């Protein structure tokens, strides 16, 4: 099967979309499929088994119009069986690829990796897309993200869940509850407003104040992994809140560095309110750590309250969750569960759902064909996702 992934964000930048698309493309290529990636992201030539075409272009129309023509040309030239477009709030290359696929009759899947804002003017105006949205198989990485897309698509189009994949074995480590007076919380992510690092500091201060009113003598520490434009301001905020001595700023770390931080932590704190999935939190969950997260986010679909972590309706609820997780008996029970029961985010399920999306996309194209535009009246690129493939199942190779 020829699969073309189109994404505005890609390696070498290492974010959620970038890593997910790279891993998905690589695993599909290793399963025997012909896989390529089209992206606006700058970077060196790819050394992976996946061909990467970098079209460049800025966000303004006059900057990426030439790149848009290249995207359309690449989609047409690859004779793809399916075009898989990966979108966030602003994704011009992915939208252009969806239009090119729709116009040429190539099965297309659109996957949203973000929760779209409620204000229509801030998101992609899906009702005014320059193509027929009913020819696309729409997906999102969680039910919460899917609901945000459905609000803009309207009631006639359903959005299926195509979850992110996670290499559980790479994060699964022997883990034991630390019986000390210090409870360490790990926070991992880009230090930007969307991830709400200030909220993590306020939660730390609020939970410590509540513990101080008790008799446990527990001291909290927050390990912050990541860097970003808000890092300097976050350090100032920690001093203002009086918790600077309780925060360890770890900076950006590679896989091993993050794993070392998680191994020395007692719980994982996730503060984002617009979290579509929560890859870093699920990596911590795979390590055995209890995950403390906001309800109403994509993480709430993966974390069972009181079983694999604790959920809070707001930041005060998260502060109460931090106080609760300071109890070593609760920590031990959740840690034992997370160590024995695998996190529901493995690559096998993600690849299975991708195959189903490709089959649905091919079915949509067939249903939209007319006698004058059918398989006999219009040249069709590739063989389509529903046709028998010489490559083995994507999920069977995991």
């Amino acid at each position: 099967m020829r699969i073309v992934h189109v994404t505005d964000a890609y390696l070498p930048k290492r974010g959620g979309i970038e890593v997910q698309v790279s891993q998905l493309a690589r695993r599909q290529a290793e399963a025997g499929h012909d896989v390529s990636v089209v992206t606006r992201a700058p970077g060196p030539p790819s050394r992976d088994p996946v061909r990467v075409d970098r079209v460049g272009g800025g966000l303004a129309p006059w900057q990426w119009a030439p790149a848009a023509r290249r995207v359309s040309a690449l989609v047409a030239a690859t004779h793809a069986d399916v075009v898989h477009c990966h979108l966030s709030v602003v994704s011009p290359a992915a939208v252009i690829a969806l239009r090119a696929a729709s116009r040429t009759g190539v099965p297309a899947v659109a996957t949203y990796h973000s929760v779209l804002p409620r204000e229509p003017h801030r998101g992609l105006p899906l009702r005014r897309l320059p193509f027929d949205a009913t020819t696309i198989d729409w997906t999102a990485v969680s039910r919460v993200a899917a609901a945000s897309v459905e609000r803009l698509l309207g009631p006639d189009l359903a959005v299926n869940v195509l979850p992110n994949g996670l290499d559980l074995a790479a994060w699964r480590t022997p883990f034991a509850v630390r019986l000390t007076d210090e409870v360490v919380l790990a926070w991992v992510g880009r230090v930007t407003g969307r991830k709400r690092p200030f909220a993590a500091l306020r939660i730390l201060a609020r939970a410590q104040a509540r513990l101080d009113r008790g008799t446990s003598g527990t001291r909290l520490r927050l390990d912050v992994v990541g860097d970003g434009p808000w890092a300097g301001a976050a350090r100032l905020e920690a001093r203002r809140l009086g918790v600077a001595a309780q925060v360890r700023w770890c900076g950006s770390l590679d896989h091993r560095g993050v794993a070392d931080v998680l191994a020395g932590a007692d719980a994982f704190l996730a503060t984002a309110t617009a979290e579509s999935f929560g890859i870093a939190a699920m990596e911590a969950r795979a390590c055995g750590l209890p995950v403390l997260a906001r309800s109403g986010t994509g993480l709430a679909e993966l974390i069972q309250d009181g079983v694999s972590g604790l959920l809070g309706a707001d930041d005060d609820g998260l502060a109460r969750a931090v106080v609760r997780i300071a109890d070593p008996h609760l920590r031990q029970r959740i840690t034992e569960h997370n160590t024995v029961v695998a996190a529901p985010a493995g690559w096998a399920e993600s690849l299975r759902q991708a195959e189903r999306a490709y089959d649905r996309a091919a079915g949509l194209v067939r249903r939209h064909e007319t006698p004058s535009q059918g398989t006999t009246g219009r040249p069709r690129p590739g063989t389509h996702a529903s046709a028998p493939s010489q490559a083995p199942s994507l999920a069977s190779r995991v």
Side-chain angles (χ1 to χ4, degrees):
M1 181 189 300
R2 296 189 189 94
I3 305 169
V4 177
H5 292 281
V6 183
T7 173
D8 289 79
Y10 197 64
L11 304 179
K13 180 183 176 183
R14 300 190 67 83
I17 296 179
E18 293 86 347
V19 173
Q20 276 297 308
V21 177
S22 171
Q23 287 286 316
L24 175 59
R26 181 178 63 81
R27 289 171 185 273
Q28 290 173 333
E30 290 173 349
H33 299 279
D34 181 354
V35 186
S36 61
V37 173
V38 177
T39 181
R40 292 192 307 116
S46 173
R47 300 179 182 177
D48 297 333
V50 176
R51 184 178 70 257
V52 179
D53 293 303
R54 300 183 185 272
V55 300
L59 286 178
W62 59 86
Q63 293 176 309
W64 60 267
R69 289 192 291 270
R70 288 196 61 196
V71 170
S72 298
L74 285 168
V75 169
T78 51
H79 302 292
D81 294 303
V82 64
V83 175
H84 191 165
C85 299
H86 302 267
L87 300 98
S88 184
V89 177
V90 179
S91 305
V95 172
I96 289 297
L98 288 174
R99 182 175 67 177
S102 178
R103 289 180 172 179
T104 56
V106 179
V109 174
T111 298
Y112 268 89
H113 293 255
S114 303
V115 176
L116 294 182
R118 287 184 176 272
E119 299 85 349
H121 68 278
R122 292 184 58 197
L124 179 67
L126 296 180
R127 292 192 183 93
R128 299 192 298 274
L129 286 173
F131 54 83
D132 184 358
T134 63
T135 64
I136 309 297
D137 186 73
W138 297 91
T139 66
V141 297
S142 66
R143 189 63 249 162
V144 168
S148 74
V149 180
E150 287 172 340
R151 284 196 300 267
L152 296 182
L153 280 174
D156 298 330
L157 288 175
V159 180
N160 295 291
V161 174
L162 200 172
N164 284 324
L166 183 65
D167 188 354
L168 300 176
W171 293 96
R172 192 175 293 120
T173 57
F175 192 83
V177 174
R178 301 180 321 122
L179 300 177
T180 67
D181 291 334
E182 182 181 59
V183 174
V184 179
L185 307 171
W187 187 97
V188 180
R190 283 270 295 164
V191 187
T192 61
R194 191 173 67 86
K195 293 297 184 180
R196 304 182 69 235
F198 283 23
L201 298 170
R202 290 193 294 268
I203 289 166
L204 172 69
R206 195 175 302 174
Q208 185 64 68
R210 288 178 175 169
L211 288 168
D212 289 344
R213 289 195 292 268
T215 58
S216 65
T218 301
R219 188 73 170 166
L220 298 175
R221 191 182 87 206
L222 179 67
D223 286 354
V224 176
V225 178
D227 203 353
W230 287 36
R235 291 173 184 265
L236 293 175
E237 179 69 2
R239 287 199 288 271
R240 188 188 71 80
L241 293 169
V243 295
Q246 295 171 252
V247 181
R248 185 166 70 112
W249 304 95
C250 303
S252 295
L253 299 174
D254 58 14
H255 173 101
R256 180 160 187 171
V258 174
D260 288 343
V261 170
L262 296 178
D266 299 292
F268 185 93
L269 179 61
T271 51
T273 55
E275 191 70 85
S276 59
F277 187 86
I279 294 174
M282 294 311 296
E283 290 169 348
R285 158 72 173 82
C287 289
L289 287 178
V291 175
L292 316 180
R294 289 281 294 259
S295 57
T297 65
L299 265 176
E301 301 171 27
L302 302 167
I303 299 299
Q304 188 176 356
D305 190 27
V307 178
S308 53
L310 300 174
L311 300 176
D314 51 24
D315 287 351
D316 192 61
L318 277 185
R320 290 194 296 270
V322 171
V323 173
R324 289 179 60 196
I325 210 64
D327 177 2
H329 301 292
L330 177 60
R331 268 203 326 276
Q332 182 168 4
R333 176 166 62 79
I334 295 178
T335 298
E336 288 177 351
H337 171 272
N338 290 354
T339 302
V340 173
V341 180
W347 269 110
E349 179 62 17
S350 182
L351 290 169
R352 273 193 293 268
Q353 292 299 335
E355 285 186 328
R356 292 172 186 170
Y358 298 166
D359 287 340
R360 289 195 303 266
L364 288 172
V365 168
R366 286 195 300 270
R367 284 197 292 274
H368 280 81
E369 288 174 347
T370 64
S372 62
Q373 293 179 314
T375 53
T376 59
R378 177 177 58 191
R380 300 300 303 277
T383 56
H384 289 327
S386 60
S389 173
Q390 298 301 314
S393 165
L394 302 178
S396 68
R397 296 292 298 271
V398 176

